[in-house]
Amino acid sequence: MVRKLLFLSGVLFLNSCISQIRLKDGTRVPDKNYVFKNSSKFDVEIFNKINNNYLYELKENYFVDRSNNKIRNFGTPTARYLQFYNTGQVRDIYYFEPNPSLTGKRGFVYMNKGKIQLDITQATQDGDIYINTFRVVIEEDKLYLVESSFSLFGNNSRECYVYEKSEKIPEDWKQYKANW
């Protein structure tokens, strides 16, 4: 019985790994053959609420409870920006570099049951990457990205990242296409 459980957990672990490449800045992203499973749910109407001509700058990050009430901060936000592409791709960048093949985590924005969600790549401490899903709550020029999942180990808090519409995306950035 223990052997079967170990074998099954090994198969599940290997199945959950995403084949990856490393960008010039060291960011690990899915390889070019990876397709975000929710990409077919992209709806251009999302951009009636999110202005994809602007970058969104991270202003605050904290933990929320099940009712989305702020519990506590977790560190000072670093300089991070979200860039939305016309076809639903999202890039999470730490510094201004127009070329997505050089820097930036990968993501995809889509509609699920009438609500905006965002899947974005995250890294584990051992270098593997996985997809983290966030519910997007929009209030004026602010985007609240609330982690969709709770811990299985009794921790009832989720991460919340607050982004605010920042500066207009420079025209020369538009020559670079999102290839994920």
Side-chain angles (χ1 to χ4, degrees):
M1 179 67 172
V2 172
R3 277 186 179 169
K4 286 181 182 178
L5 285 174
L6 286 174
F7 176 75
L8 182 60
S9 61
V11 168
L12 289 174
F13 173 75
L14 289 174
N15 233 3
S16 66
C17 294
I18 297 172
S19 180
Q20 59 186 280
I21 60 170
R22 190 180 290 240
L23 302 178
K24 298 250 188 236
D25 71 348
T27 302
R28 294 175 188 264
V29 297
D31 71 18
K32 65 180 180 176
N33 297 318
Y34 181 79
V35 176
F36 281 85
K37 71 176 183 178
N38 291 308
S39 60
S40 63
K41 296 179 184 178
F42 170 68
D43 185 342
V44 73
E45 296 297 316
I46 290 170
F47 296 132
N48 289 335
K49 297 178 180 180
I50 297 173
N51 191 331
N52 63 332
N53 293 310
Y54 285 80
L55 295 170
Y56 284 79
E57 181 179 5
L58 180 64
K59 294 295 188 179
E60 196 174 3
N61 48 310
Y62 48 83
F63 289 103
V64 295
D65 62 17
R66 286 191 184 272
S67 301
N68 292 330
N69 298 312
K70 184 176 178 178
I71 298 173
R72 64 182 163 80
N73 290 333
F74 64 90
T76 305
T78 58
R80 272 175 62 184
Y81 299 86
L82 291 179
Q83 178 184 5
F84 293 87
Y85 291 85
N86 292 338
T87 49
Q89 294 93 334
V90 179
R91 187 166 66 125
D92 183 354
I93 55 177
Y94 291 94
Y95 58 91
F96 279 39
E97 165 56 53
N99 189 344
S101 65
L102 299 178
T103 188
K105 294 190 291 185
R106 309 298 196 231
F108 214 94
V109 65
Y110 59 95
M111 296 294 285
N112 187 19
K113 298 177 183 173
K115 298 190 185 218
I116 299 174
Q117 290 192 310
L118 173 68
D119 287 349
I120 198 146
T121 56
Q122 302 286 325
T124 63
Q125 289 183 343
D126 63 355
D128 290 329
I129 58 173
Y130 65 97
I131 305 300
N132 201 357
T133 300
F134 292 90
R135 188 170 37 88
V136 181
V137 178
I138 301 168
E139 290 180 3
E140 298 174 16
D141 287 340
K142 289 187 178 180
L143 306 179
Y144 295 83
L145 275 58
V146 181
E147 192 175 32
S148 291
S149 60
F150 282 100
S151 170
L152 297 174
F153 304 107
N155 183 354
N156 289 326
S157 63
R158 297 180 289 183
E159 296 173 11
C160 178
Y161 297 89
V162 182
Y163 287 85
E164 190 168 0
K165 187 163 84 171
S166 181
E167 58 190 83
K168 193 165 178 64
I169 294 173
E171 284 301 314
D172 61 332
W173 285 37
K174 296 180 181 177
Q175 68 180 310
Y176 297 100
K177 304 297 179 207
N179 61 355
W180 59 93

